[in-house]
């Protein structure tokens, strides 16, 4: 017993060093292979988007375009009223992000900073709405919005965001709970109103969490297909996903793959840009709020 | 005494003031639709004319409807393969990238990148990849001498093509697992290492219990998302070929907005709601013994 204890500390450093190496090499090789496989479709998305109509039908597919058809990127704006689609999507996503940030931050603050009868009950109810599938409520919502004459307007896609979204409220509430009470006591001493404390103390300290929520809300709205398919009927009101989905329809006997890929690349641009700008805050936000 | 009472009143007043946007939204966009959907499910309703009460007819029809059962099997088959594999992949990537390795930042971004393409763009891209004549997938299979099928045009393979496609976004789960792994105290792992525990033991007895809440969260959310697959079916297959990708929500959407049978569709919606609640309840109950929360119970 005593000999075991004596030998271990001597042995372990070298044993550790020896053992770590092969595992790390294997991990590295696995990562290189999987990353290659993950990035390959993306590579072809970009490369196909720059091929001519004839080259896109070639088999085997060429890795790089033989002649770079940059004109695809201008053509798509003419053939597809792509500019309109893009603008519509940006308007809807912009309002959705603003609405989600505003309402979710208010509601989360209420749950995090005030104790009152019903706090727990409502919060559990909020959490359980995360499990509510949208299709389960979409028909009555459709009936409601059509009674309000909101069909074929952006309103059904924007207004609900102003009433908070469960997941984002949950995320922000976790974050707000970590803010030290003393800050707010000090504010209260100075005669600061509750709403002003929310705006001047809580919000500025929550930049990472708010950035995370903004990204989630943007991605959700930008990628959503089902809701705009339900509510938008005239083609000049279509969002990007709806317009892109119509590209595969029977209008073309052979799908225009090169243009489909142009559309896919352009659809990615805002998300990648947003992610690049807010990446640090985004990752920090996820870590700090902790999905637990 | 009086002061304390007014303080707690003040607290309650501000709580309700701040959460009122959600309370109103909950009534309009959740509670009211759920209840009216329950009512519609007992009616014959085409959205234009007022609903006619027909009792349980929608439900009895559903259980005799072949397309309903088809949509159930398609959805469950998709769920039971895609959700566990996605979880394992996400966890695997996270474990690999939790170590200190060269180019770690690059790998993390690269793995997450596909998740930024979700939705229609991803469906279009993979529609091309699975194209039997010019697509990438069969071309790559041909390197290994495999002659690939006509993936999306073949009833035997279409669903599996969509399952393969779903693995591509495992990076979004990886991010959450990475966040979870950062919360595992290094001191615990060091201590176990000094006690002579191997990598596998450490993973099984320390890491896994510590990240079990993240696992549970992702399992439940993954199931709910997977029960609601729509975009892929709408963009890539229209539920075909031969109803092999006739997903539940695609079936629900078609009944309501193509056949104008909102009553029947509401019955489908309620069955979905009940199934989601049942699955969640069962998983929560089963997980109670395995999921570990720091400091015992949590709010």
């Amino acid at each position: 017993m005593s000999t075991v204890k004596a030998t271990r500390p001597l042995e372990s450093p070298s044993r550790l060093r020896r053992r770590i190496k092969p595992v790390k090499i294997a991990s590295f090789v696995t990562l290189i292979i999987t990353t290659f496989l993950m990035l390959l479709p993306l590579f072809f998305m970009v490369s196909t988007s720059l091929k001519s109509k004839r080259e896109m039908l070639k088999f085997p597919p060429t890795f790089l375009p033989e002649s770079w058809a940059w004109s695809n990127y201008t053509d798509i704006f003419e053939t597809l009223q792509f500019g309109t689609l893009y603008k519509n999507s940006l308007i809807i996503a912009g309002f959705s992000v603003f609405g989600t940030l505003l309402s979710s931050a208010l509601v989360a603050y209420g749950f995090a900073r005030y104790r009152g009868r019903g706090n727990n009950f409502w919060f559990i109810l909020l959490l359980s709405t995360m499990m509510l599938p949208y299709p389960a409520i979409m028909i009555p919502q459709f009936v409601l919005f059509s009674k309000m004459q909101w069909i074929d307007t952006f309103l059904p896609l924007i207004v609900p965001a102003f009433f908070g979204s469960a997941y984002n409220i949950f995320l922000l509430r976790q974050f707000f709970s970590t803010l030290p009470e003393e800050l707010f006591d000090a504010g209260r001493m100075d005669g600061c109103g509750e709403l002003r404390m929310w705006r001047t103390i809580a919000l500025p300290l929550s930049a990472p969490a708010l950035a995370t929520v903004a990204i989630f809300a943007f991605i959700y709205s930008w990628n959503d297909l089902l809701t705009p398919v339900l509510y938008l009927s005239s083609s000049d009101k279509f969002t990007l996903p709806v317009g892109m989905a119509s590209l595969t329809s029977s209008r073309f006997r052979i799908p225009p793959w090169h243009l489909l890929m142009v559309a896919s690349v352009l659809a990615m641009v805002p998300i990648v840009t947003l992610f690049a700008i807010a990446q640090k805050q985004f990752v920090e936000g996820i870590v700090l709020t902790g999905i637990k | 005494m009086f002061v304390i009472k007014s303080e707690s009143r003040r607290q309650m007043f501000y709580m309700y003031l701040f959460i009122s946007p959600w309370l109103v939204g909950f009534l309009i966009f959740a509670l009211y639709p759920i209840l009216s959907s329950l009512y519609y499910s007992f009616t014959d309703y085409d959205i234009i004319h007022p609903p006619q009460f027909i009792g349980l007819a929608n439900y009895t029809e559903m259980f005799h409807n072949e397309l309903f059962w088809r949509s159930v099997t398609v959805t469950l088959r998709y769920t039971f393969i895609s959700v566990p594999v996605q979880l394992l992949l996400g966890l695997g990537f996270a474990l690999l990238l939790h170590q200190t390795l060269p180019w770690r930042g690059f790998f993390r971004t690269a793995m997450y990148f596909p998740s930024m393409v979700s939705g229609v763009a991803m469906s279009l891209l993979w529609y091309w990849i699975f194209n039997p004549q010019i697509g990438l997938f069969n071309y790559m299979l041909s390197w290994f001498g495999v002659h690939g099928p006509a993936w999306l045009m073949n009833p035997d393979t279409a669903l599996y093509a969509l399952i393969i496609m779903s693995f591509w976004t495992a990076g979004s789960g990886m991010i959450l697992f990475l966040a979870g792994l950062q919360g595992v105290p290094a001191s615990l792992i060091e201590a176990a290492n000094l006690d002579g525990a191997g990598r596998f033991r450490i993973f099984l007895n320390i890491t896994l219990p510590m990240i079990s809440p993240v696992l549970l969260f992702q399992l439940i959310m993954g199931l709910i998302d997977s029960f609601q697959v729509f975009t892929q079916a709408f963009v890539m297959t229209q539920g075909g070929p031969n109803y092999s990708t006739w997903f539940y929500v695609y079936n629900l959407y078609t009944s309501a907005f193509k056949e104008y049978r909102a009553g029947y569709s509401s019955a489908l919606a309620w069955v979905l709601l009940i199934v989601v609640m049942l699955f969640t309840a069962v998983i929560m109950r089963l997980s109670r013994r395995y999921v570990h929360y720091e400091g015992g119970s949590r709010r």
Side-chain angles (χ1 to χ4, degrees):
Chain A
M1 193 58 193
S2 60
T3 47
V4 174
K5 265 189 179 163
T7 50
R8 244 182 213 159
L10 287 172
E11 221 179 55
S12 60
S14 65
R15 200 191 56 184
L16 270 180
R17 217 174 298 142
R18 243 187 298 128
R19 248 192 10 200
I20 280 167
K21 265 213 157 162
V23 172
K24 287 218 166 161
I25 292 169
S27 310
F28 195 70
V29 173
T30 317
L31 279 171
I32 288 186
I33 296 169
T34 40
T35 309
F36 173 75
L37 288 175
M38 294 293 249
L39 292 183
L40 203 61
L42 284 171
F43 176 82
F44 271 94
M45 181 167 111
V46 177
S47 125
T48 308
S49 78
L50 289 165
K51 289 175 186 170
S52 65
K53 199 176 173 188
R54 186 186 308 171
E55 199 187 342
M56 84 180 185
L57 292 173
K58 262 197 177 168
F59 188 84
T62 46
F63 269 80
L64 288 171
E66 283 157 0
S67 59
W68 300 70
W70 292 105
S71 56
N72 289 348
Y73 278 78
T74 45
D75 286 354
I76 197 159
F77 283 90
E78 283 149 30
T79 52
L80 266 173
Q81 40 159 243
F82 207 70
T84 313
L85 297 178
Y86 223 81
K87 196 187 74 195
N88 293 344
S89 271
L90 280 177
I91 292 172
I92 291 168
F95 277 107
S96 298
V97 169
F98 175 70
T100 306
L101 278 178
L102 181 72
S103 57
S104 301
L106 275 172
V107 175
Y109 189 80
F111 275 123
R113 300 229 62 89
Y114 302 104
R115 297 276 147 256
R117 202 180 299 151
N119 187 309
N120 255 333
F121 170 77
W122 293 116
F123 191 65
I124 289 167
L125 197 65
L126 171 98
L127 290 184
S128 58
T129 61
M130 281 187 350
M131 285 174 256
L132 183 65
Y134 175 70
I137 51 175
M138 75 182 179
I139 293 165
Q141 267 193 26
F142 184 85
V143 174
L144 180 75
F145 286 137
S146 57
K147 275 184 188 148
M148 294 166 83
Q149 313 260 314
W150 282 6
I151 302 297
D152 209 21
T153 72
F154 292 165
L155 291 172
L157 311 176
I158 292 171
V159 172
F162 282 82
F163 294 90
S165 78
Y167 185 70
N168 293 319
I169 293 172
F170 168 68
L171 215 111
L172 287 174
R173 178 208 180 252
Q174 302 299 92
F175 190 88
F176 286 149
S177 313
T178 64
L179 298 177
E181 187 65 44
E182 290 78 25
L183 279 173
F184 297 92
D185 288 340
R188 212 161 280 155
M189 294 286 222
D190 292 344
C192 194
E194 303 294 325
L195 202 65
R196 233 184 95 198
M197 284 203 286
W198 170 76
R199 199 168 52 80
T200 56
I201 302 176
L203 286 193
L205 288 172
S206 314
L210 292 173
T212 310
V213 168
I215 292 183
F216 280 152
F218 185 87
I219 293 179
Y220 180 80
S221 165
W222 188 257
N223 287 329
D224 188 22
L225 176 71
L226 185 52
T227 343
V229 159
L230 292 186
Y231 290 109
L232 304 175
S233 45
S234 43
S235 61
D236 62 326
K237 296 213 176 77
F238 279 177
T239 60
L240 200 52
V242 184
M244 283 164 66
S246 72
L247 267 178
T248 57
S249 68
S250 49
R251 209 171 99 203
F252 306 94
R253 214 166 51 83
I254 303 166
W257 297 111
H258 58 317
L259 293 182
L260 292 176
M261 295 304 127
V262 173
S264 304
V265 171
L266 290 177
M268 246 184 103
V269 169
I271 295 181
V272 175
T273 315
L274 204 64
F275 191 76
I277 295 170
Q279 190 190 18
K280 224 186 129 244
Q281 309 239 302
F282 179 62
V283 174
E284 203 181 320
I286 287 184
V287 173
L288 284 176
T289 49
I291 313 292
K292 281 190 178 176
Chain B
M1 185 63 192
F2 185 73
V3 178
I4 292 168
K5 199 174 172 200
S6 77
E7 165 61 19
S8 75
R9 262 198 194 171
R10 206 185 59 89
Q11 287 255 342
M12 193 147 102
F13 170 75
Y14 280 113
M15 181 191 91
Y16 278 98
L17 188 71
F18 274 100
I19 71 169
S20 59
W22 173 73
L23 280 177
V24 173
F26 173 75
L27 293 177
I28 304 175
F29 298 115
L31 192 63
Y32 159 75
I34 293 174
L35 295 178
S36 28
S37 153
L38 181 63
Y39 167 65
Y40 292 155
S41 77
F42 299 115
T43 66
D44 187 10
Y45 184 32
D46 62 0
I47 299 184
I48 300 148
H49 302 96
Q52 299 281 316
F53 191 81
I54 54 168
L56 284 169
N58 285 326
Y59 290 94
T60 43
E61 185 200 328
M62 185 189 308
F63 291 110
H64 293 103
N65 187 318
E66 218 178 302
L67 278 186
F68 166 78
W69 288 111
R70 177 52 75 98
S71 72
V72 170
T73 29
V74 164
T75 307
L76 288 182
R77 199 180 290 167
Y78 179 88
T79 302
F80 287 145
I81 306 176
S82 124
V83 173
V85 178
Q86 272 206 71
L87 277 180
L88 285 178
L89 283 177
L91 181 58
F93 292 160
L95 286 172
L96 286 177
L97 287 171
H98 189 58
Q99 321 171 70
T100 40
L101 284 173
W103 306 350
R104 187 168 73 165
F106 163 77
F107 284 131
R108 282 184 179 180
T109 315
M111 294 279 188
Y112 185 71
F113 229 80
S115 307
M116 287 195 251
V117 202
S118 54
V120 176
M122 171 165 150
S123 299
L124 292 179
L125 173 61
W126 283 79
Y127 192 31
W128 171 78
I129 289 174
F130 284 127
N131 184 291
Q133 274 96 41
I134 57 169
L136 182 64
F137 207 85
N138 281 357
Y139 173 54
M140 283 178 68
L141 288 179
S142 74
W143 295 347
F144 304 98
V146 178
H147 184 77
W151 292 101
L152 294 169
M153 289 147 211
N154 182 338
D156 296 330
T157 53
L159 187 62
Y160 293 97
L162 297 186
I163 291 173
I164 292 171
M165 173 175 123
S166 76
F167 301 153
W168 198 47
T169 49
S172 62
M174 174 199 72
I175 295 269
L176 297 181
F177 278 124
L178 272 175
L181 285 173
Q182 291 194 2
V184 181
S187 57
L188 265 180
I189 292 182
E190 260 165 50
N193 213 324
L194 286 177
D195 284 346
R199 268 170 185 274
F200 189 66
R201 281 284 308 265
I202 292 179
F203 173 74
L204 216 60
N205 293 342
I206 298 176
T207 314
L208 204 57
M210 292 297 277
I211 60 166
S212 52
V214 188
L215 197 67
L216 176 69
F217 177 81
Q218 290 209 55
L219 175 65
I220 292 176
M221 285 327 226
L223 274 179
I224 296 173
D225 280 351
S226 163
F227 284 154
Q228 297 182 57
V229 166
F230 172 76
T231 305
Q232 298 90 308
F234 185 84
V235 177
M236 297 167 79
T237 60
Q238 283 87 48
N242 195 21
Y243 300 102
S244 60
T245 58
W246 196 257
F247 283 95
Y248 194 89
V249 167
Y250 191 74
N251 185 36
L252 197 157
Y253 164 83
T254 323
S255 315
F257 297 98
K258 293 279 176 246
E259 293 162 8
Y260 303 104
R261 303 190 59 210
Y264 177 66
S265 197
S266 297
L268 291 173
W270 256 83
V271 169
L272 175 68
L273 186 64
I274 289 167
V275 169
V276 164
M277 289 196 305
L278 273 178
F279 264 88
T280 315
V282 169
I283 292 173
M284 291 292 246
R285 177 139 294 207
L286 288 178
S287 72
R288 211 171 282 168
R289 284 181 50 205
Y290 302 103
V291 173
H292 168 92
Y293 290 103
E294 272 167 87
S297 65
R298 267 192 175 235
R299 264 183 315 197

